[in-house]
Structure formats: structure tokens, C-alpha cells
Amino acid sequence: MATISVTTKDDVEAHFPDGMTDDSDPADWRMMSTRGTAQRLITIQGFAKRDAVRAAQLRSLRLSGGYRPGMPMVEIPPEICEIVCGEEGEQEQGVLSHAWGMLRRGQLRDKKAVRDLRGLVERHWILNRKMYPGFGRHGSHPPTEVLDEYLLRLRRDRPYVLKALATYLVAIARHIHTENLPPLQIPVIKTMGSRVTPGQRPLLEQAFGGVYWDDYGSAEFGAIACECEHHNGLHVFDDFFIVEVVDAEGHPVADGQRGWIVVTDLMNTTMPLIRYKIGDVGVIDHQPCACGRSGPRITVEGRAHDTLVDSQGGWRTTDDVVDFLEQCPGVVAGQVCALGSQRYELTLIEDTHVALDQEALREQFAEWIGGQPTVKLQTATTLRPEAGGKFRYVRGDLERSSNHGSVG
């Protein structure tokens, strides 16, 4: 594999679709938008790949938390999105009423109507999934009464799995902790479309009364890897994917060394992606796991464009930055923007219970990042999401770093 060049998002966009797809019937294609914070990339999936995506999703739920079809699940996505097959987000219409409507309108052979019906069957009958709206105009830190509404719904619905944007999970968990409320009793906690840092996991598990299980996936590929009961890296679904961690030139790095994650999809023959640089950084481990599985495990540490480069050329990933800020007295959350030439802008959400010493924090950050940085601080009451609904806590400079090359 190492002899094959890495595929970047620029490569895909330059050759899409004629130079990237097979000769299958376009009527069977489904266009997938990644809606990433850096670029909007379109990929195409055929029926076989979409079935593989469903299978990988169910495998991830089963291996990470023991979920079985029919157990109640609640999702709070960054926006009403095309997670299953239905394209209009959460629909109040039930499976039978949708099928009856198809019959009345003569749509039994209509591909979109059939696709929406499959989505409804999967959501309501197989996954037993409810979808709550996101925080919307409230940003990252909604008022108390909004968080109380989420708690009321969760206590009423009593899901076995709660899967939500990391920002939402942390905000609800911190509200439970700050207000000294009884913990929820949700056995399985997962994130979607974003990362929970190592420092945030204990808070989530205490507040939600369950276990946080990490997994990894993307709009291009679906579920790629998940944790086992030992929580020591994510097991790659190696019957569906080949996952590597490489350096800036595309050469595999040693186990435990940070690099760019590249993925080869073994299931999507409609639009094959080979050694595709997905935009994340992490490490890989080929040693057998204590659970008995012998395939590779990965640890994802954040997005490449959300990674800072310190004065020594080392990487400071999203995990590093978020955990650093949240352990600073007086800080609930924050966002760091690298402006180049060792200039940084920090936007901080203040803790209403602990005073924030801005000068001390500026000195702490300067010592942490190294060199002679210029650090500008500002405060806010909430952080706003990107256009795709996700929150970006670091705007990094790894892509500009001449020491590490370009990240696609």
C-alpha cells in the first residue's frame, strides 16, 4: 500500500465524478456530503456500500456497549442531517402511514419514497431511535431552562444509548454537575461528528451514569472503528477498511507516532477511495489487544486543521488544547485561533463560580505553547457553531507549518 500515492480532498474534487466512479447505474447512486469545517466534499455510494454502512453502524453499537436492535436510543446531532436513508431529518410520520401514502400516490417504485421508507423502518423499528434538536441559536452554552428541558426528555425517554455532538454532551453533563442534580441512568454514551477529550470522559460518565464508548467514522465511509471493553484504542473494521497512519510524504509511521490517518475503503466499488487522507491525526497500534483481537487499533486525536504547532515543532491536538483550557481556573470552555507568526487569539467562556485571572492564563498559555507568543484574550457567553453545525475549538497552524508539510 505504501507505494500508492495518498489521495487528498483536492484530488477527489479535481476528478469528481467522471474520473472517480465506475460504470454502475447512476440511478443507484447516493450523493454524500461530508459537510466538514474545512471543505464541502461530495462522495458517491452504491447500494452495496450503503448496506455495509448499516452493518458497520450496528457492529459498532454492539461491540461498544452491547446495544441490540430495538433498545431505545436518543441522538442529538449537530443539525438535522442525513444519518440514515431518510433525507428530511426527524419525521413524525410513522412507517405504516408513510407506506400507505406511497400506495395512495402510486410511489411503490419511486426510489426516493422507498429510500425514505427504509430510513423510517431503520429508525423506528430496528434502531428505536429518537432524534432531539440541537442547541440552535443558543450556541455551545444554552441557558439553564433549555438544559433542563433536555434533562426532562432524557429522564422520560430513558434511552439505553445517548449519542450526541460532544459539545451537547459536555454542556448537559456540566449542568448536572454544577446544579448537583441526580445523574441520569444511561448505560451507553457516545459522541457523533466530534470528539470527546480524555479529560471530559469522567465528567460524562458521572453525569450520565453510564460508560463512554469511543468510535470513529465519517460521512465518506460510515463507521470505521470502535472501542472494546478495554477502552485502549479503536479496533479497525479491517474487513471493510485498511487504515494507516502516515507522515507528510505518505509513508507509514511507527506504532505510537503521531501522523495523518489515511483510509482505503474495501466496500465502495462505486467510487473507490484508496489511501484517502481523511483530515484527522492520530496514532496506530498493531499489537494484539487484551480482548483477543489482533487487528490494528487507532487513537484519533483531532482534526489536522485543528492542530497547533508549538515552538519546538511538536503537535498540540484538539484534545491537548481543550483539556489544557478546561483545567485552567475560571474557564468553562474556550477556542484558540492561530493567526501565524506565534500570534494566538483565545476566546473564553468564563466560569460564573470561579474568577478568571486573564494575565495568569495568558502566561500559562505562553509557557505551554513555548517561544515568545503574542496572546490576545477575549471572553464570550457562548461559542457559535460552524456552517455545518459543528463547533470548532481550535483553528490550527499545522497546515502552514513548513516542518510538517501540507495537510489535504
Side-chain angles (χ1 to χ4, degrees):
M1 293 292 293
T3 61
I4 301 174
S5 299
V6 166
T7 302
T8 68
K9 293 186 178 184
D10 288 341
D11 295 330
V12 175
E13 290 180 340
H15 297 91
F16 181 88
D18 294 338
M20 298 289 298
T21 54
D22 66 2
D23 58 357
S24 60
D25 183 358
D28 294 337
W29 292 1
R30 183 185 178 196
M31 311 289 258
M32 299 293 298
S33 170
T34 67
R35 302 186 181 215
T37 53
Q39 300 182 59
R40 184 180 181 91
L41 174 72
I42 298 293
T43 59
I44 294 173
Q45 296 178 350
F47 279 129
K49 173 58 182 177
R50 298 202 293 276
D51 285 341
V53 168
R54 293 188 182 90
Q57 179 189 23
L58 289 172
R59 180 190 295 181
S60 176
L61 288 167
R62 177 175 58 83
L63 294 178
S64 292
Y67 176 86
R68 293 292 186 273
M71 290 178 171
M73 178 191 309
V74 165
E75 289 187 349
I76 316 177
E79 58 181 335
I80 298 300
C81 54
E82 301 173 13
I83 298 295
V84 191
C85 292
E87 295 180 339
E88 298 176 16
E90 184 176 18
Q91 303 177 26
E92 294 300 324
Q93 188 177 33
V95 175
L96 296 180
S97 59
H98 182 81
W100 175 245
M102 290 173 59
L103 181 62
R104 284 190 296 105
R105 294 186 293 270
Q107 294 179 323
L108 295 181
R109 295 182 181 275
D110 182 85
K111 288 184 178 293
K112 182 180 184 304
V114 171
R115 189 165 65 238
D116 288 340
L117 179 63
R118 292 181 70 183
L120 288 169
V121 168
E122 184 171 338
R123 181 184 304 123
H124 294 299
W125 288 2
I126 298 177
L127 294 181
N128 190 13
R129 184 181 71 176
K130 291 186 177 182
M131 191 179 295
Y132 295 177
F135 288 175
R137 60 186 176 84
H138 300 295
S140 62
H141 291 75
T144 297
E145 58 269 20
V146 172
L147 295 171
D148 284 338
E149 281 296 318
Y150 281 94
L151 289 179
L152 185 65
R153 292 189 68 176
L154 288 169
R155 294 190 194 279
R156 180 194 65 202
D157 292 334
R158 301 176 63 186
Y160 181 82
V161 176
L162 172 61
K163 190 169 186 178
L165 195 69
T167 298
Y168 301 162
L169 290 175
V170 171
I172 295 170
R174 187 167 284 128
H175 178 61
I176 293 173
H177 176 75
T178 302
E179 300 299 322
N180 199 28
L181 300 173
L184 296 166
Q185 299 300 319
I186 301 176
V188 176
I189 311 126
K190 287 175 169 281
T191 188
M192 60 189 309
S194 55
R195 287 193 49 71
V196 166
T197 72
Q200 293 169 339
R201 291 178 73 146
L203 171 67
L204 299 187
E205 294 186 339
Q206 181 180 11
F208 293 116
V211 177
Y212 176 79
W213 297 81
D214 202 5
D215 55 24
Y216 180 53
S218 73
E220 299 100 318
F221 299 114
I224 297 172
C226 71
E227 285 185 320
C228 69
E229 63 273 16
H230 292 277
H231 302 278
N232 187 24
L234 308 177
H235 291 276
V236 174
F237 300 156
D238 52 7
D239 51 342
F240 288 174
F241 307 100
I242 298 172
V243 176
E244 306 167 81
V245 176
V246 303
D247 61 21
E249 286 73 43
H251 302 129
V253 300
D255 283 10
Q257 181 179 339
R258 280 176 173 169
W260 284 263
I261 295 174
V262 297
V263 181
T264 298
D265 193 339
L266 303 177
M267 303 303 294
N268 191 358
T269 57
T270 301
M271 181 176 166
L273 289 175
I274 300 173
R275 302 199 84 209
Y276 174 71
K277 187 180 281 188
I278 197 170
D280 294 316
V281 296
V283 300
I284 195 165
D285 185 354
H286 291 90
Q287 296 301 311
C289 178
C291 72
R293 297 179 179 89
S294 58
R297 285 169 288 145
I298 55 172
T299 299
V300 184
E301 299 184 335
R303 300 291 290 170
H305 58 257
D306 293 344
T307 299
L308 304 177
V309 179
D310 65 24
S311 63
Q312 303 300 312
W315 294 5
R316 302 286 188 165
T317 66
T318 304
D319 285 2
D320 300 327
V321 175
V322 171
D323 283 347
F324 167 79
L325 288 178
E326 292 188 356
Q327 59 82 37
C328 293
V331 177
V332 171
Q335 184 183 68
V336 178
C337 182
L339 305 175
S341 302
Q342 279 220 302
R343 294 179 297 118
Y344 300 92
E345 181 177 270
L346 277 60
T347 302
L348 306 173
I349 308 296
E350 293 187 70
D351 188 337
T352 57
H353 301 89
V354 180
L356 171 63
D357 186 335
Q358 293 196 16
E359 188 57 38
L361 192 145
R362 186 181 287 106
E363 292 176 1
Q364 281 182 270
F365 182 83
E367 182 179 355
W368 182 73
I369 203 70
Q372 300 291 323
T374 300
V375 183
K376 176 184 176 182
L377 295 184
Q378 60 185 11
T379 60
T381 57
T382 193
L383 300 174
R384 298 297 174 187
E386 301 287 305
K390 299 179 184 179
F391 293 84
R392 192 173 175 189
Y393 291 95
V394 184
R395 299 177 184 275
D397 51 5
L398 178 60
E399 292 171 293
R400 295 193 294 265
S401 171
S402 60
N403 294 333
H404 296 276
S406 176
V407 176

